[in-house]
Amino acid sequence: MATSQKMAETADGMMHSLTEDTWATPTTQLFAFIGVLWLSLKVFSFWRLIASLFILPGTSLSTFGKKGSWAVITGASDGIGKEYALQLAQKGFNIVLVSRTQSKLDTLAAEIQRMCKVQCKTLAMDFAANNDSDFAKLKQMVQELDVSILVNNVGLSHSIPVPFAETPEREVQDIITINCMGTLRVSQLIAPGMVRRKNGLILTMASFGGILPTPLLATYSGSKAFLQQWSSALSSELAPHGVKVQLVQSYLVTSAMSKIRRSSAMVPTPKQFVRAALGKIGRSGGAQGVAATSTPYWAHGIMHWAIATLTPGPMNKYVIDVNKSMHEDIRKRALRKAERDGKKSS
Ligand SMILES: NC(=O)c1ccc[n+]([C@@H]2O[C@H](COP(=O)([O-])OP(=O)(O)OC[C@H]3O[C@@H](n4cnc5c(N)ncnc54)[C@H](OP(=O)(O)O)[C@@H]3O)[C@@H](O)[C@H]2O)c1
Ligand SMILES: *[C@@H]1O[C@H](CO)[C@@H](O)[C@H](O)[C@H]1NC(C)=O
Ligand SMILES: *[C@@H]1O[C@H](CO)[C@@H](O)[C@H](O)[C@H]1NC(C)=O
C-alpha cells in the first residue's frame, strides 16, 4: 500500500514536471497556438483552392452582355486568342478579330460564321508598329458596336531565352510595345463604351513570368508584371461602373509561342485553357489574395498556389535561380539547334 502510493506519487510528480516543463509555460502554449493557427490557415486556403478550381462555377458570360453584343479579341488568329474567338462565338457573341495577318483572319472569320450564327469583323494591324491610324480604324469599327467583352490577348515573348544585355533592341521594343502599349491603347478605346453601358468584361492574358521574375526572359517577365499591376488597379477603378476587369494567369500552354506541341496535365491545349478561363470568371483559382486575378486552369492553379503558399514566395532569390538554370539550358539547346539548322541550309 505504502509502496504503491509512493509509486503513484512519483509518477504523478514526473507527469507534473513533464507537463510543466514542456507544455504549460505560456511561451510554449503561444507557439503551439500559433502553429495550429498557421496550419489551419494553410488547410483552409487549400480547400478554398480546391473549391475555386473544381467546384464553384464562374460568373456566367451572359451577365456581361445582351445577346447580339460583341467580343473583341486581339492576337485572335492563332493559339489562345483563336480559342477565345471560337468559344465566345459558340456562346453567341459577335466577334471582332484583330491580329497581323489578314489571310489568317479571313480563314478564321469564315470558320466562325460557318459554325455559329454570329457576325464577324476583322482588322489586320501590327501592334509592334504602334501606328495611330490602326488604332483610329479600330476605334471607328467599335464605335457603333455594343462591345461587352474585350480579351487583351496579343503578346510577344523573346524568340529564345536571352541575357538582357544581349537582347536585340528591336525585340525589347516590340515586346513592350505589343504587350504593354497595345493592351493600354485597345482598352482605352473600348472601356469608355462599357462604362457608358454600365456593363462589360475586360480579360487580359498575363503569364507566370509576371509573378515570378524570370531570368533570360527579363523583358517579357517585366511586361507581364506591368499588366498584372495595371489590370488590378483598373479593376478597382471600373468596378463601381459595373465593368469587370480580370487578369488571367497562365503557365505554359501548347502554342507557337511556347513552341510546345504535345499537351500534358501541366501544359494544356489552348482549347482546354480557354474553357477553364471562360468558365471561371470571378474565381481566383490558384491566384488567392491577388486582386482581380485568376489562375483558372487546374494544374496551373495548384502550381501558383504552391509557389505562393509553400515556398518562400515567388520573389525569393532561390526560386529565381532555379528558373535561371532552366533557361540557360533552353538557350544552349536553342543555340545548338540554330547552329545545326544553319549548317544544313548552307
Ligand atoms: N503559350 C503559352 O505558353 C503562354 C503562357 C502564358 C501566357 N501566354 C500569353 O497568352 C497570349 C497568347 O499567346 P499564344 O501562345 O496564343 O501566342 P501565339 O500562338 O504566338 O499567337 C499569337 C497571336 O497574336 C498575333 N500576333 C502576334 N504578333 C502580333 C502583332 N505584332 N500584332 C498583331 N497581332 C499579333 C498572331 O497572329 P499573326 O501572326 O497573324 O499576327 C496570333 O494570332 C500572349 O499574351 C502570351 O503572352 C502564353
Ligand atoms: C501608319 O499607317 C498608315 C496607313 O496604313 C500609313 O500610311 C503610315 O505610313 C503609317 N505610319 C507609320 C509611322 O508607319
Ligand atoms: C520559369 O520559366 C517559365 C517560362 O519558361 C515561367 O513561365 C515561370 O514563371 C518561371 N518560374 C518557375 C518557378 O517555373
Side-chain angles (χ1 to χ4, degrees):
M1 175 74 199
T3 358
S4 72
Q5 195 178 1
K6 204 168 180 185
M7 267 168 68
E9 264 168 24
T10 325
D12 198 45
M14 267 165 64
M15 280 299 284
H16 195 73
S17 62
L18 199 72
T19 341
E20 198 146 84
D21 287 355
T22 51
W23 294 110
T25 71
T27 325
T28 44
Q29 273 176 350
L30 183 68
F31 278 123
F33 175 72
I34 291 173
V36 169
L37 188 68
W38 183 85
L39 199 67
S40 317
L41 287 175
K42 296 280 167 187
V43 170
F44 175 66
S45 155
F46 183 73
W47 279 112
R48 269 185 65 196
L49 169 79
I50 297 301
S52 190
L53 288 174
F54 298 105
I55 300 166
L56 300 169
T59 309
S60 163
L61 289 173
S62 57
T63 353
F64 300 106
K66 298 189 291 284
K67 224 178 155 49
S69 68
W70 290 75
V72 176
I73 298 114
T74 65
S77 59
D78 211 344
I80 298 170
K82 182 178 176 179
E83 267 307 320
Y84 273 116
L86 286 167
Q87 293 188 27
L88 287 168
Q90 280 158 7
K91 289 180 193 297
F93 291 91
N94 296 316
I95 306 287
V96 176
L97 303 166
V98 186
S99 71
R100 231 170 357 187
T101 323
Q102 187 64 55
S103 59
K104 283 161 83 178
L105 291 172
D106 290 341
T107 310
L108 179 59
E111 186 183 342
I112 287 175
Q113 277 160 334
R114 200 178 48 235
M115 275 174 30
C116 318
K117 283 200 189 75
V118 300
Q119 299 173 59
C120 222
K121 289 177 188 283
T122 64
L123 176 64
M125 65 180 274
D126 181 357
F127 281 96
N130 195 25
N131 184 327
D132 292 348
S133 86
D134 289 330
F135 288 99
K137 273 185 221 152
L138 181 59
K139 185 172 181 175
Q140 207 181 4
M141 185 181 271
V142 299
Q143 226 157 27
E144 312 291 296
L145 306 177
D146 173 1
V147 178
S148 57
I149 299 180
L150 165 62
V151 184
N152 285 314
N153 167 78
V154 73
L156 179 71
S157 185
H158 299 269
S159 59
I160 64 170
V162 57
F164 173 69
E166 294 168 33
T167 313
E169 210 179 304
R170 180 86 255 162
E171 190 169 90
V172 170
Q173 212 169 69
D174 286 353
I175 288 172
I176 299 300
T177 310
I178 295 171
N179 299 7
C180 303
M181 276 317 289
T183 301
L184 298 187
R185 293 190 75 172
V186 172
S187 303
Q188 221 164 26
L189 289 182
I190 290 176
M194 291 179 166
V195 169
R196 233 181 300 119
R197 292 185 292 272
K198 295 191 170 29
N199 207 354
L201 171 68
I202 300 178
L203 293 180
T204 300
M205 277 305 295
S207 158
F208 273 27
I211 325 172
L212 299 142
T214 312
L216 276 74
L217 299 179
T219 305
Y220 177 73
S221 181
S223 77
K224 293 294 182 178
F226 172 97
L227 292 178
Q228 167 77 70
Q229 299 289 321
W230 165 79
S231 183
S232 295
L234 183 68
S235 156
S236 168
E237 287 185 23
L238 294 187
H241 301 281
V243 179
K244 179 151 192 68
V245 179
Q246 183 163 303
L247 190 85
V248 181
Q249 274 298 355
S250 168
Y251 187 60
L252 297 169
V253 176
T254 59
S255 81
M257 179 189 275
S258 67
K259 300 188 181 77
I260 301 176
R261 257 175 267 148
R262 191 145 14 120
S263 67
S264 61
M266 208 60 218
V267 185
T269 60
K271 189 176 188 163
Q272 294 168 316
F273 180 82
V274 169
R275 196 179 305 132
L278 293 180
K280 292 288 177 184
I281 305 298
R283 296 278 163 214
S284 58
Q288 242 171 58
V290 191
T293 303
S294 176
T295 309
Y297 175 70
W298 69 271
H300 295 172
I302 292 172
M303 181 177 171
H304 188 172
W305 179 87
I307 292 168
T309 317
L310 306 178
T311 74
M315 300 300 268
N316 180 268
K317 181 178 172 307
Y318 175 74
V319 176
I320 296 173
D321 283 349
V322 169
N323 206 261
K324 182 167 74 186
S325 15
M326 180 175 118
H327 282 130
E328 281 167 349
D329 263 12
I330 298 176
R331 177 172 171 77
K332 262 186 236 143
R333 270 183 280 137
L335 288 177
R336 272 204 299 270
K337 182 173 185 299
E339 204 182 320
R340 277 199 310 274
D341 292 352
K343 270 190 196 137
K344 247 182 269 163
S345 63
S346 61

